[in-house]
Amino acid sequence: MNLQDYQGVYVFVQQVDNKITGVSFELIGKARELAAAMETEVTAVLLGSNVSALCDELAAFGADKIVMVDNEALEPYSTEPYAHAMTAVIEKYKPAVVLYGATAIGRDLAPRVSARVRTGLTADCTKLEVDPETKGLRMTRPAFGGNLMATILCPEHRPQMATVRPGVMQKIKPMKDAKAVVDKFDVDFTPNHNYVEVTEVIKKVSNKIDIQDAKILVSGGRGVGCPENFKLLRDLADALGGEVSSSRACVDAGWAEKDIQVGQTGKTVRPNLYIACGISGAIQHLAGMEESDVIIAINKDENAPIFEVADYGIVGDLTKILPVFTEKVKEAMAARQNG
Amino acid sequence: MNIVVCIKQVPNTNEVKLDPVKGTLIRDGVPSIMNPDDKAGLEAALRLKDSMGAHVTVVSMGPLQADAVLREAMAMGADDAYLISDRAFGGADTLATSTTIAAAIKKLPYDLIITGRQAIDGDTAQVGPQIAEHLNIPNVSYAEDIQVEGDTVTVKRQYEDRYHTVKVKMPCLITALSELNQPRYMTPGGIFDAYREKTVTTWTVNDIEVDMDKIGLKGSPTRVFQSFPKSLKAAGTVVTLDGEEAADYMLEKLREKFII
């Protein structure tokens, strides 16, 4: 393999129901930094059916080029046609780097593609850098349940592939009227024994805001005590204009839904304000929230590890503190509106 | 029906602690367990065996100590067990690991292969889909429910905001979520059988047909450049306050930070 034949930073664009998943914009944002360091361009790989309308949005978020495979075999997502299309793109365009979101789609597609083209794949990266000398990609990820960080290289194989956790990288501010060169790439999809049949698509009904989009999170752990006390968190979140999230302990106990879980096996969040209520701060939880701008922790146990990452820690009883605080926040908000 | 379940022995990462002074991992005394997603996959296989009859084979790649999780699997009800163990497999990344396991599975009869979604020590979720690719069979990841009828497996496939009902023809590979079920306990009779009546067959590199360039460290495209304990950000202020005082303190801090 001649490594020099492989050029460019490529991003697999995940779309569901013809709506681009947020992590894809985050990856394009990161790809711009990497491409600048490698002196190359950012290409978005857009796979789907009737997806051409999405190209402008990809350009606005920083894609220089778009490779589009538009075929009804790509709706809805299933492993084989997507792996086939990605492999065809890699074989034709020979990218140096391919990034995928570490989502339920990306974590299925990327390993299948890596085995097909026989290259390395680093999972769930939280940091990507370019080696200043070799121009190779340094991929850093948590291991041992978040206890250890490892930096991985893929020195002799191309493309260098990584999945990246949603919420970790930052998208750029969209550039108005930006245009990208669109290359429509026709791939033949002849069904074979690896094709499966999707007979039903059941969407989970949810009116809730995704906790990854919330600017303020009020998060509860085992120390909340009982599911009823989550009401105290909800009240505070409402007063602050934020959302409620939770630790794994509460999800396991059935007090909270899985989709609001923060941490290694839940979501990574980086809100402006994270208020940890009764969360002890297992390393798996910290992995999902320590990048928050401001962290306030309330816990009865002064030795709780959450205090090691909190900007402001309060040793006290959250059931006494939260109702008073919520009232004071409401007053402050009302005063500001009237003022 | 022949079901092969891939299981991994992992350190219980919930019990791994950091040495607060040296900043290194304290691995001594950390118990080894059967990886939780794999255990759910095994339970799913055993339920299919209970309901419709199946031969359940468990396969693990790892050091000789991994014998323990294979015995545990047999004590839960698996019929036979294979340990893929050789120094030649050492240092393998996911691609080399999946290549090795796929080569071993090729020697076994299989209709359905079940792996866990991911192992708690690596969290990659790669080995299952990669095994399927090496065997050139379809895979369905993130299964929350598995039903078998005739030669077709129906899977409730989880996504962040939805499910797909997927029908897939055997032979195929499914990756299981720990949400799939509550794994059964070993029975006393099962434990007795697993250690006294049943055997774990160990396969070395000589027992499988595999390209030596595609296994172990040599067959691994990725390299660990460095590893380091996670650095936590500097701790802030901790105060002991209750009720009114605490509320005032927080309000003051939010104002200082221009959050409200």
Side-chain angles (χ1 to χ4, degrees), chain A residues 76-144:
Chain A
Y77 173 80
S78 74
T79 315
E80 181 56 30
Y82 271 74
H84 176 63
M86 270 319 278
T87 305
V89 169
I90 288 169
E91 284 172 354
K92 180 175 179 196
Y93 294 89
K94 296 190 175 1
V97 172
V98 184
L99 306 178
Y100 306 77
T103 61
I105 286 177
R107 298 174 98 235
D108 177 59
L109 171 63
R112 190 95 203 193
V113 172
S114 80
R116 196 163 292 186
V117 303
R118 281 208 84 83
T119 192
L121 173 64
T122 306
D124 290 17
C125 296
T126 54
K127 192 174 171 189
L128 297 171
E129 298 161 295
V130 175
D131 184 302
E133 278 176 28
T134 64
K135 302 288 178 194
L137 189 62
R138 285 183 183 167
M139 301 165 272
T140 300
R141 68 180 307 264
F144 275 96

Side-chain angles (χ1 to χ4, degrees), chain A residues 226-239:
Chain A
C226 60
E228 292 72 33
N229 281 350
F230 262 82
K231 175 84 169 58
L232 303 176
L233 276 61
R234 180 81 257 169
D235 290 345
L236 176 58
D238 287 345

Side-chain angles (χ1 to χ4, degrees), chain A residues 25-77:
Chain A
F25 296 129
E26 296 165 15
L27 292 181
I28 293 171
K30 187 67 196 179
R32 283 169 64 85
E33 289 172 30
L34 301 175
M38 293 177 172
E39 296 172 10
T40 181
E41 288 179 312
V42 176
T43 304
V45 182
L46 177 58
L47 311 182
S49 179
N50 293 316
V51 286
S52 57
L54 304 177
C55 289
D56 284 348
E57 212 178 345
L58 292 171
F61 279 95
D64 301 309
K65 288 185 183 165
I66 297 165
V67 174
M68 178 173 68
V69 183
D70 201 325
N71 192 295
E72 57 190 24
L74 297 170
E75 180 57 39
Y77 173 80

Side-chain angles (χ1 to χ4, degrees), chain A residues 21 34 65 67 70 94 104 113-114 125 141 147 151-152 160 162 195 198 254 262 294 300-301 304 318 325 334:
Chain A
T21 309
L34 301 175
K65 288 185 183 165
V67 174
D70 201 325
K94 296 190 175 1
V113 172
S114 80
C125 296
R141 68 180 307 264
N147 291 286
T151 303
I152 311 288
Q160 305 159 90
Y195 277 62
V198 179
V262 171
V294 176
K300 274 184 182 168
D301 175 9
L318 65 94
F325 183 46

